[in-house]
Amino acid sequence: MEFVKCLGRPEEFYNLLRFQMGGIRKVIPKMDQDWLSVWVDICYLFVNGSTRYFKQIEIQSLAGCVGHAVCIFYLVLRALDTVEDDMTISVEKKVPMLHNFHSYLYEPDWRFMESKQKDRQVLEDFPTVISLEFRKLAEKYQTVIVDICRKMGFGMAEFLDKHVTSEREWDKYCHYVAGLVGIGLSRLFSASELEDSVVGEDTELANSMGLFLQKTNIIRDYLEDQQEGREFWPQEVWSRYVKKLSDFAKPENIDFAVQCLNELITNALHHIPDVITYLSRLRNQSVFNFCAVPQVMAIATLAACYNNQQVFKGVVKIRKGQAVTLMMDATNMPAVKAIIYQYMEEIYHRIPKSDPSSNKTRQIISTIRQQNLPTCQLISRSHYSPIYLSFVMLLAALSWQYLSTLSQVTEDYVQTGEH
């Protein structure tokens, strides 16, 4: 139970309780969808079905037409990604599909019925949902989405039979699958005039936003990727420690595995100065929330993974209460800087003296500190004893769960009576 994990952390407990009871709408209000057509509602159902709950909240929190454009943008890329991930499609057939996928947006009848992927519905219903709504978008949004889709398709095709060898190749791969997403989103924000033109024009910063998120996912998902036959860690780095990337999962190589892990995390931390600069330029609140939340969650994830053997034994995830607290706190730049400071200090104090990357890790954290980070953590919302607060919140959570269960039982009973 998620509440039990937060017993020693009253602020997380309180925020998780608010989240479960619908309090999240006070922080990120639900987008007014009255202007949406029936098909746009279906688009949002697709988003809700193919991504994590927090991503639903991020997309639905965006204001006005740009939220619609971002939703369609996400679904187009989800469909493209589904083609890339489907191992049942031969390379001979897949490469032309990836190269031409952007053109399918203008073909009213194009769909693909042969996919075996779990998200295949985005391909099967492509003409009735995705491409139809895409063609209803303003031309300024269509131009961005088509351009990014084309570049991503060619990039994905390039890496179909290609391993990530060097750190430069790692950056290139992450650019194709995530950096382009950051660039596309930034151009949509500027096109909507919610943000200044410089946000969409500075592709280097936008690319860095995407690279930071993708590298975090690749680092965290080592074991899952190994189990599914995928390898995204750069060979230039891991080959200094073992002969095969899969050797890190062997108990006798755990020390080398953690050293390689720390080196890759240090690499990813170099994007944080760009993240701070990018977020500092944003002026619209809904856009800021949309961009800041994934970044602070990635920072928290890297802190959890740093020097952690569990990355090679299971799944490392931040607590749900922790994620909810980050979502509620990351609504302004001072708060984001405080969060970054908190997790940088956490990593800094866990740097092993014997780690080969220790000096580089300390150096990048020192660089990040120079970006006007505060010298204190976020102010706690309460001054009561953590034990007392946790006890009170546990009672509140149990009461809420009891009432929710009772309400459901009553509803089922009434429906049974009606039948």
Side-chain angles (χ1 to χ4, degrees):
M1 186 179 181
E2 289 292 337
F3 286 107
V4 175
K5 296 179 183 179
C6 301
L7 283 179
R9 302 174 177 86
E11 184 180 18
E12 289 184 17
F13 197 115
Y14 170 71
N15 289 334
L16 182 57
L17 183 60
R18 284 183 64 200
F19 183 87
Q20 296 283 14
M21 298 179 72
I24 189 62
R25 293 178 184 175
K26 297 177 182 177
V27 181
I28 305 179
K30 195 172 189 283
M31 184 181 63
D32 181 5
Q33 296 184 357
D34 290 342
W35 57 274
L36 297 177
S37 68
V38 174
W39 286 115
V40 175
D41 287 333
I42 294 176
C43 283
Y44 280 98
L45 288 176
F46 267 107
V47 172
N48 292 349
S50 62
T51 188
R52 295 181 308 135
Y53 184 55
F54 291 136
K55 179 57 68 179
Q56 299 167 30
I57 292 172
E58 290 160 23
I59 293 177
Q60 292 178 1
S61 71
L62 284 171
C65 293
V66 72
H68 183 190
V70 168
C71 179
I72 302 302
F73 181 48
Y74 174 83
L75 288 172
V76 169
L77 299 187
R78 169 59 64 189
L80 178 63
D81 187 60
T82 302
V83 172
E84 184 209 19
D85 287 344
D86 195 331
M87 303 305 293
T88 66
I89 305 175
S90 66
V91 174
E92 292 76 18
K93 188 173 185 177
K94 185 181 294 186
V95 170
M97 285 182 67
L98 293 174
H99 284 172
N100 298 319
F101 200 87
H102 64 284
S103 66
Y104 301 152
L105 291 167
Y106 294 104
E107 297 181 18
D109 299 323
W110 186 90
R111 65 179 51 176
F112 187 70
M113 304 297 293
E114 302 170 29
S115 176
K116 306 300 181 184
Q117 289 293 99
K118 62 180 180 180
D119 292 333
R120 61 184 176 274
Q121 190 177 0
V122 292
L123 296 173
E124 294 173 356
D125 292 342
F126 195 83
T128 54
V129 179
I130 300 176
S131 65
L132 177 66
E133 287 301 324
F134 165 81
R135 292 190 297 274
K136 293 180 183 179
L137 292 174
E139 185 177 354
K140 60 183 179 181
Y141 296 136
Q142 290 189 27
T143 301
V144 173
I145 294 173
V146 167
D147 182 51
I148 297 299
C149 183
R150 180 184 61 81
K151 291 176 179 176
M152 187 176 290
F154 275 84
M156 287 177 170
E158 179 181 337
F159 277 90
L160 279 180
D161 290 321
K162 185 178 179 181
H163 291 290
V164 179
T165 53
S166 65
E167 290 185 80
R168 179 173 292 185
E169 285 284 300
W170 198 33
D171 282 354
K172 188 176 183 180
Y173 171 77
C174 291
H175 163 73
Y176 283 138
V177 300
L180 284 172
V181 179
I183 293 171
L185 287 171
S186 300
R187 289 171 60 186
L188 290 176
F189 298 150
S190 293
S192 70
E193 299 183 357
L194 291 177
E195 297 296 343
D196 295 336
S197 59
V198 67
V199 172
E201 293 167 356
D202 195 336
T203 56
E204 184 176 348
L205 288 186
N207 182 62
S208 206
M209 291 277 285
L211 261 63
F212 182 64
L213 296 180
Q214 186 64 22
K215 287 182 178 181
T216 298
N217 290 338
I218 289 174
I219 291 169
R220 180 200 60 200
D221 294 341
Y222 164 83
L223 192 61
E224 179 183 335
D225 287 337
Q226 281 294 303
Q227 292 169 346
E228 297 187 11
R230 300 188 299 257
E231 292 189 354
F232 299 112
W233 284 25
Q235 185 176 359
E236 179 184 1
V237 177
W238 62 256
S239 62
R240 292 198 291 266
Y241 300 93
V242 289
K243 293 182 178 180
K244 296 185 298 182
L245 183 57
S246 58
D247 290 342
F248 282 147
K250 299 177 180 178
E252 62 268 25
N253 294 323
I254 193 63
D255 290 338
F256 289 135
V258 171
Q259 289 174 6
C260 182
L261 170 69
N262 292 347
E263 183 173 349
L264 292 181
I265 290 177
T266 300
N267 176 297
L269 293 179
H270 281 79
H271 295 289
I272 292 183
D274 284 346
V275 169
I276 294 173
T277 302
Y278 181 96
L279 294 177
S280 298
R281 288 178 174 174
L282 301 180
R283 297 293 175 262
N284 181 273
Q285 186 64 58
S286 63
V287 173
F288 183 90
N289 293 345
F290 178 86
C291 295
V293 170
Q295 299 294 329
V296 296
M297 288 191 181
I299 290 168
T301 298
L302 287 184
C305 290
Y306 185 80
N307 208 49
N308 188 351
Q309 297 182 3
Q310 188 61 27
V311 172
F312 305 95
K313 301 176 181 179
V315 180
V316 176
K317 290 184 178 180
I318 60 176
R319 300 175 301 278
K320 188 172 181 180
Q322 183 182 7
V324 170
T325 298
L326 290 171
M327 188 174 2
M328 291 183 170
D329 286 339
T331 57
N332 59 78
M333 204 59 220
V336 168
K337 288 184 175 182
I339 291 169
I340 293 173
Y341 174 85
Q342 173 186 337
Y343 288 111
M344 289 305 97
E345 292 305 296
E346 185 177 315
I347 292 175
Y348 188 86
H349 289 104
R350 285 173 29 217
I351 300 175
K353 294 181 179 179
S354 59
D355 189 88
S357 304
S358 59
N359 289 336
K360 291 182 179 179
T361 309
R362 292 190 183 93
Q363 184 177 1
I364 183 56
I365 291 179
S366 176
T367 300
I368 294 170
R369 284 170 172 168
Q370 294 172 12
Q371 290 201 291
N372 298 319
L373 294 189
T375 55
C376 61
Q377 295 184 4
L378 287 168
I379 300 173
S380 175
R381 287 188 174 86
S382 177
H383 304 288
Y384 293 104
S385 163
I387 297 176
Y388 172 77
L389 275 175
S390 295
F391 177 73
V392 172
M393 291 176 187
L394 179 60
L395 286 178
L398 291 173
S399 300
W400 172 77
Q401 191 169 26
Y402 169 77
L403 290 173
S404 298
T405 304
L406 182 62
S407 175
Q408 184 63 46
V409 170
T410 303
E411 183 178 345
D412 293 344
Y413 178 78
V414 170
Q415 289 179 351
T416 301
E418 289 176 350
H419 291 306

